[in-house]
């Protein structure tokens, strides 16, 4: 009985990890696409004035359905590590309109 429960627990853990990896992959794709689009808009005279996106705003928007702060932070930490490791993305600090410094991501690659 204990062996069966252990096997079931392992199966569920693997399935949850696979689902988490898929979610992280999807979030990274969305973030990179949004950064690229923001860079494109900022180069258009009638487009966005900022060439960057605020990482925390992206997190809050993209994970708004995840109400657990711990889970949201866990997932976003992995997303951020991948995004920041992308050679086309630059991470820097920018001052917001409210006067606070915050981490931003900027697309530097080809459009």
């Amino acid at each position: 009985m204990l062996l069966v429960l252990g096997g079931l627990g392992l199966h569920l853990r693997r399935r949850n990890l696979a689902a988490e990896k898929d979610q992280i992959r999807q979030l990274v794709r969305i973030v990179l696409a949004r950064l690229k689009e923001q860079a494109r808009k900022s180069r258009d005279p009638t487009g966005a004035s900022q060439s960057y996106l605020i990482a925390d705003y992206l997190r809050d928007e993209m994970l708004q359905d995840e109400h657990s702060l711990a889970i949201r932070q866990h997932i976003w930490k992995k997303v951020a590590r991948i995004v920041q490791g992308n050679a086309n993305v630059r991470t820097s600090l920018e001052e917001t309109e409210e006067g606070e410094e915050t981490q931003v991501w900027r697309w530097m690659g080809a459009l």
Side-chain angles (χ1 to χ4, degrees):
M1 179 70 167
L2 195 55
L3 187 59
V4 171
L5 288 176
L8 180 61
L10 183 60
H11 172 73
L12 291 175
R13 175 85 174 129
R14 283 185 185 160
R15 192 172 73 188
N16 287 344
L17 284 174
E20 181 181 287
K21 282 184 177 183
D22 287 343
Q23 180 184 20
I24 290 167
R25 243 183 259 120
Q26 182 180 5
L27 289 169
V28 167
R29 269 196 302 267
I30 293 168
V31 167
L32 294 176
R34 296 267 313 266
L35 289 171
K36 199 171 185 179
E37 181 62 24
Q38 185 70 17
R40 188 178 293 117
K41 286 179 182 177
S42 73
R43 291 179 183 160
D44 180 347
T46 62
S49 60
Q50 300 167 333
S51 62
Y52 59 82
L53 292 174
I54 298 173
D56 289 345
Y57 290 0
L58 281 170
R59 178 201 62 215
D60 293 345
E61 178 186 334
M62 296 175 71
L63 294 173
Q64 64 184 328
D65 293 334
E66 179 54 64
H67 300 291
S68 167
L69 180 61
I71 293 173
R72 195 167 50 227
Q73 288 175 336
H74 170 77
I75 292 169
W76 194 252
K77 183 177 178 182
K78 292 180 178 190
V79 170
R81 187 177 320 130
I82 295 168
V83 170
Q84 291 170 357
N86 187 304
N88 292 308
V89 176
R90 292 293 175 265
T91 301
S92 62
L93 292 176
E94 293 284 339
E95 190 172 317
T96 65
E97 292 176 5
E98 295 81 24
E100 298 177 25
E101 275 198 346
T102 190
Q103 185 179 53
V104 301
W105 293 332
R106 182 178 280 114
W107 182 262
M108 302 302 289
L111 299 176

